[in-house]
Amino acid sequence: MAEMAPKVDIEKAKKTAEQVFGLLGGALVSAMIYLGDRLGLYQALNGAGAVTSEELARKTGLHERWIREWLHGQAAANLIDYKGEGRFALSLETAVVLADESSPLFLGGAFCAIPQQMAVLNLLPESFKSGVGLTYDQMGPEVNRGVERLLAPWFRTQLVPSALPKLDGVVAKLHAGAKVADIGCGSGVALIEMAKAYPRSQFHGYDIAKIPLARAAENAKSAGVKNVILHDAGADPLAGDASYDFITTFDCLHDMTRPDLVMKAIRKAIKPDGTWLIADVHGMPTFEQNLKENPLAPFLYGISVICCMSSALSEPGGLGLGTLGLPEPVARKMTAEAGFTRFTTRDFENPINAYYEVRP
Ligand SMILES: C[S@@+](CC[C@H](N)C(=O)[O-])C[C@H]1O[C@@H](n2cnc3c(N)ncnc32)[C@H](O)[C@@H]1O
């Protein structure tokens, strides 16, 4: 007897359609957040009370009809509160997430990358065919700026006052004058925060991408720090002379084509009593656990294809770890294989990152 063809459960399919439509809505609301950030609309609303679209248009010098449509969408997305009679207000809670760049919860900056991240989609079909991804330079300046603005709030508010004092003996060395390297330094925000706090120490930033290195040089200049030295790691790699007291890698090992080789280079560069601080994405040990227990998994796998795994496969033979590719067991194993013997986890209260204090 012929097998019955499986039947579509229409109710279930309708639910899936609803879910997919919601995701499409999320993409478009993200685009609207991009515009709000770019046009300074959240800042203009912050502390302004309940305003009309005419008042916001006047304040920002923009056209009222466009502002009104944007406000309607933001209210529909529950980001801005509709107060009735054509008035809209930004709550204090949304302001710390979307308007106040000095807040540790600020996320608005990440949205500046969206147009270039979406443009990268035109290049990725070729990567799916060839297997080779894009470097951070190939992704473009806005993607790098998005990384900078996404990660900067933690560096500016937590790194020096809360995180470094929890590491064994590091702050005393930094006060006295230490040699420090930040590998995969990007636009240098972490380096600059540390350089300002510890003027007797020298901070060496290494990156292989020219766009973030140029931005790091600009950032160091405008911060007025003289103790930051930047290196193009491709031409001027980390010396293996056991001279570094403290080495950091913030959110970059999983982006590297050969993190195993970089770990071995760090082992050679660090003093026998030195400390290496790793920050990497707080992934679960297995895909199955990420599927069940990691609410950020859809976002993290998406950013992996667009950014992190792409970078980690940007050369043939890349290990391709990707955004969720360095959970604690993998970090323990790889650092041990690179010759480190001590590995301690540290909780610096960051929902995205895990931190490891690693020593020879
Ligand atoms: C996600 S960004 C993080 C930047 C910075 N650490 C931060 O927290 O803002 C990853 C950085 O790692 C850099 N990178 C990738 N492979 C590298 C390598 N082999 N050596 C040094 N930097 C590398 C990329 O160019 C990029 O700037």
Side-chain angles (χ1 to χ4, degrees), residues 258-337:
R258 294 300 305 268
D260 53 339
L261 301 183
V262 171
M263 289 181 183
K264 287 191 175 123
I266 290 174
R267 179 64 188 86
K268 286 194 182 138
I270 203 163
K271 280 185 181 170
D273 68 343
T275 298
W276 172 21
L277 172 63
I278 300 177
D280 218 287
V281 172
H282 199 2
M284 306 285 163
T286 65
F287 165 66
E288 285 76 5
Q289 280 168 285
N290 278 311
L291 206 55
K292 276 202 203 122
E293 297 164 36
N294 191 343
L296 294 176
F299 161 72
L300 293 168
Y301 284 118
I303 206 67
S304 194
V305 171
I306 288 180
C307 213
C308 308
M309 186 194 73
S310 181
S311 162
L313 291 172
S314 58
E315 282 172 352
L319 300 189
L321 294 187
T323 313
L324 283 158
L326 196 74
E328 187 185 326
V330 179
R332 276 184 189 275
K333 181 167 179 281
M334 289 183 80
T335 54
E337 283 168 1

Side-chain angles (χ1 to χ4, degrees), residues 22-327:
L23 293 172
L24 184 58
L28 293 169
V29 172
S30 292
M32 294 302 109
I33 296 177
Y34 164 82
L35 287 175
D37 176 68
R38 178 163 170 173
L39 295 169
L41 297 173
Y42 297 111
Q43 279 87 349
L45 283 162
N46 194 11
V51 296
T52 63
S53 52
E54 286 88 1
E55 285 163 353
L56 186 58
R58 229 174 296 127
K59 190 166 181 188
T60 54
L62 300 168
H63 277 275
E64 187 279 332
R65 179 67 190 96
W66 290 82
I67 291 288
R68 194 181 349 134
E69 204 73 351
W70 182 83
L71 282 169
H72 286 177
Q74 294 286 291
N78 269 331
L79 289 171
I80 287 177
D81 300 331
Y82 182 55
K83 299 290 188 189
E85 298 182 349
R87 294 196 168 268
F88 298 84
L90 191 71
S91 70
L92 292 175
E93 293 70 29
T94 306
V96 294
V97 179
L98 290 176
D100 177 5
E101 193 133 9
S102 68
S103 137
L105 291 175
F106 183 70
L107 278 176
F111 290 79
C112 75
I114 282 189
Q116 245 170 24
Q117 282 170 342
M118 295 303 111
V120 159
L121 297 182
N122 287 320
L123 306 176
L124 291 187
E126 188 45 43
S127 294
F128 273 76
K129 289 178 201 155
S130 69
V132 178
L134 306 173
T135 64
Y136 273 83
D137 275 338
Q138 288 169 317
M139 292 172 207
E142 286 164 12
V143 169
N144 285 278
R145 189 89 172 91
V147 171
E148 174 182 346
R149 291 184 69 203
L150 175 67
L151 301 175
W154 188 85
F155 293 136
R156 296 213 171 103
T157 59
Q158 309 292 315
L159 175 62
V160 170
S162 306
L164 296 183
K166 293 192 181 116
L167 301 176
D168 190 14
V170 168
V171 165
K173 289 183 191 172
L174 291 172
H175 274 305
K179 189 173 172 193
V180 181
D182 183 26
I183 318 291
C185 65
S187 47
V189 180
L191 274 175
I192 293 164
E193 288 305 304
M194 293 190 285
K196 285 194 292 196
Y198 307 109
R200 288 207 198 97
S201 292
Q202 292 283 315
F203 294 88
H204 295 264
Y206 287 85
D207 205 289
I208 52 163
K210 297 194 177 7
I211 292 173
L213 275 176
R215 175 82 186 149
E218 263 175 44
N219 284 340
K221 196 170 168 215
S222 52
V225 287
K226 300 274 178 279
N227 52 341
V228 167
I229 305 112
L230 297 168
H231 306 262
D232 178 341
D236 175 17
L238 189 68
D241 58 358
S243 65
Y244 284 91
D245 298 284
F246 183 42
I247 296 184
T248 55
T249 48
F250 292 113
D251 285 298
C252 58
L253 290 167
H254 67 257
D255 294 281
M256 294 180 180
T257 50
R258 294 300 305 268
D260 53 339
L261 301 183
V262 171
M263 289 181 183
K264 287 191 175 123
I266 290 174
R267 179 64 188 86
K268 286 194 182 138
I270 203 163
K271 280 185 181 170
D273 68 343
T275 298
W276 172 21
L277 172 63
I278 300 177
D280 218 287
V281 172
H282 199 2
M284 306 285 163
T286 65
F287 165 66
E288 285 76 5
Q289 280 168 285
N290 278 311
L291 206 55
K292 276 202 203 122
E293 297 164 36
N294 191 343
L296 294 176
F299 161 72
L300 293 168
Y301 284 118
I303 206 67
S304 194
V305 171
I306 288 180
C307 213
C308 308
M309 186 194 73
S310 181
S311 162
L313 291 172
S314 58
E315 282 172 352
L319 300 189
L321 294 187
T323 313
L324 283 158
L326 196 74

